[in-house]
Amino acid sequence: MLKTLLAACLAAGLTLPGAVAQAAKADEPIVIRFAHVVTDDTPKGQGALLLQKLVAERLGDRVKVEVHANSSLVGDAEELAALQRGDVHLLAPSLAKFEQYTPKLKVFDLPFLFDDLAAVDRFQQRPTGRDLLLSMSQHGIIGLAYWHNGMKQLSANRPLQQPADARELSFRIQSSKVLEAQFAAVGARSVKLPFAEVRSALQGGKVQGAENPWSNLYSQQLYQVQPYISETNHGVLDYMLVSNARFWYGIPHEIRSELEAIIDEVTYAVNQQAARLNAADRERIAASGKSRIIALSDAERAAWREAMQPVWQQFEGEIGATVLRAAKAANRSAQN
Ligand code: LMR
């Protein structure tokens, strides 16, 4: 995999050494700034801290990982540009946020495409999913791993049981045309807002609904300003751990190999724990009494699916039939 990444970067004309030359001076640790937009007690937040800890233990004074959580250094609207400039070195944006760099990752935003997180995981681990880690190399962005958060739920200021209940409501969305189309498909409006602004936008009435996994609903206290959460599991919110290719390949080989081994270990831990963290946050929200969790019957969920599924055709051309087929196939555990 790493050889393939290297080859892709070379093919894209990226100069490998140099970008971190000053950081790699023998007597100074390489500083890796890892910025993200969620709190420490989420799957991504925990992953960033584990990465920092393992790097401190194993690479001692050669590498230092700085973690900047909860949009404290840079928000999601600017973080990828900051990565390209080299102001930050590791990010794990939601897969919905790469739209301007590749259309292929839009596959992850398609509503009701993946049956569950296990299907998402299979797609990410199979060759087509692994190849997507390289889909932004012409922009100098390399994907190092997929990290799970979880399946998204719909929250609103009124109960959403049927698709028609969403009509005319405004939902906060991540910056994604697929998500815009998904809400348009049920007659709702959508407003693209940075993650750091979601709570205040819901509280102030700028938008009346949102879609989030349980961990984001809990850690950003969105459940306190959304009286109803429908358990739709209608899509996935996962991440790609990315770096700036020039920075990454400028790290001396021996250190980079150790970093990549650590990332594999952290990825395994994040992906093992994400479902458990989300389940615990769901229970906390249920126990808070602040928000009513609405279960959907099979027929109700099928109605949401039927209303939103036409979005697949709308984006199939951009995503590519092969990628879409591989994603659908991941709903089965056997490959054929
Ligand atoms: C969002 O903007 O809703 C998410 O991408 C935030 C995150 O990183 O989980």
Side-chain angles (χ1 to χ4, degrees):
M1 181 68 201
L2 292 168
K3 281 204 186 111
T4 333
L5 282 171
L6 185 58
C9 290
L10 286 168
L14 296 165
T15 343
L16 299 183
V20 284
Q22 75 221 48
K25 276 184 205 149
D27 54 347
E28 280 180 25
I30 298 169
V31 175
I32 298 182
R33 259 179 247 133
F34 186 167
H36 66 78
V37 301
V38 291
T39 61
D40 287 340
D41 49 359
T42 55
K44 178 162 58 181
Q46 292 284 294
L49 292 177
L50 180 60
L51 183 67
Q52 181 179 48
K53 175 171 171 283
L54 296 183
V55 168
E57 282 169 11
R58 296 189 201 158
L59 287 168
D61 53 9
R62 289 189 289 169
V63 182
K64 184 170 180 290
V65 175
E66 286 177 3
V67 176
H68 301 272
N70 216 14
S71 309
S72 58
L73 183 64
V74 61
D76 46 3
E78 307 90 34
E79 64 185 359
L80 280 157
L83 184 85
Q84 287 184 301
R85 284 196 304 274
D87 295 346
V88 294
H89 312 109
L90 274 183
L91 299 172
S94 146
L95 292 161
K97 292 186 178 155
F98 293 107
E99 177 167 278
Q100 69 184 108
Y101 303 100
T102 171
K104 293 188 177 159
L105 291 173
K106 288 181 178 172
V107 71
F108 287 102
D109 285 347
L110 294 178
F112 293 99
L113 178 60
F114 296 105
D115 290 347
D116 50 28
L117 204 54
V120 176
D121 195 78
R122 282 192 289 271
F123 175 62
Q124 291 171 348
Q125 299 318 319
R126 289 178 184 172
T128 309
R130 302 291 302 168
D131 285 351
L132 293 182
L133 291 170
L134 301 179
S135 59
M136 297 178 286
S137 38
Q138 74 273 30
H139 296 283
I141 298 171
I142 53 156
L144 300 169
Y146 290 107
W147 284 6
H148 292 323
N149 187 338
M151 302 305 282
K152 293 180 291 188
Q153 319 303 336
L154 285 179
S155 65
N157 63 359
R158 67 180 190 223
L160 302 178
Q161 203 88 47
Q162 298 284 346
D165 299 331
R167 208 170 282 153
E168 304 297 330
L169 289 184
S170 280
F171 287 82
R172 177 270 171 173
I173 55 167
Q174 304 175 78
S175 171
S176 153
K177 288 199 171 59
V178 177
L179 300 179
E180 205 173 343
Q182 166 193 281
F183 283 109
V186 293
R189 288 185 284 268
S190 53
V191 182
K192 292 177 183 164
L193 288 173
F195 189 58
E197 292 173 27
V198 179
R199 190 177 194 281
S200 61
L202 288 167
Q203 192 164 26
K206 182 171 181 176
V207 288
Q208 297 86 47
E211 52 166 13
N212 279 285
W214 295 109
S215 75
N216 286 1
L217 279 158
Y218 184 73
S219 58
Q220 297 293 321
Q221 300 169 347
L222 306 180
Y223 69 101
Q224 295 184 354
V225 292
Q226 290 278 263
Y228 302 98
I229 304 173
S230 299
E231 196 156 26
T232 49
N233 291 308
H234 64 281
V236 65
L237 196 156
D238 262 15
Y239 306 113
M240 191 186 285
L241 183 70
V242 289
S243 188
N244 174 315
R246 287 170 67 95
F247 172 83
W248 197 252
Y249 289 109
I251 297 174
H253 179 263
E254 181 207 349
I255 299 179
R256 198 170 72 238
S257 299
E258 183 62 30
L259 282 170
E260 283 159 354
I262 292 172
I263 286 172
D264 282 350
E265 203 172 318
V266 173
T267 298
Y268 181 79
V270 169
N271 291 347
Q272 285 289 305
Q273 284 175 25
R276 197 181 48 74
L277 275 176
N278 272 284
D281 286 343
R282 182 195 181 284
E283 291 320 302
R284 289 188 185 102
I285 292 171
S288 75
K290 296 268 185 200
S291 190
R292 182 154 75 80
I293 297 177
I294 299 169
L296 300 186
S297 68
D298 289 349
E300 285 164 346
R301 194 162 183 278
W304 284 93
R305 185 187 170 106
E306 196 185 326
M308 290 178 163
Q309 195 164 338
V311 170
W312 296 11
Q313 279 118 44
Q314 208 175 319
F315 291 93
E316 179 171 1
E318 284 179 66
I319 292 167
T322 312
V323 172
L324 188 54
R325 201 168 35 248
K328 285 186 206 162
N331 286 321
R332 304 184 295 274
S333 48
Q335 290 236 31
N336 42 35

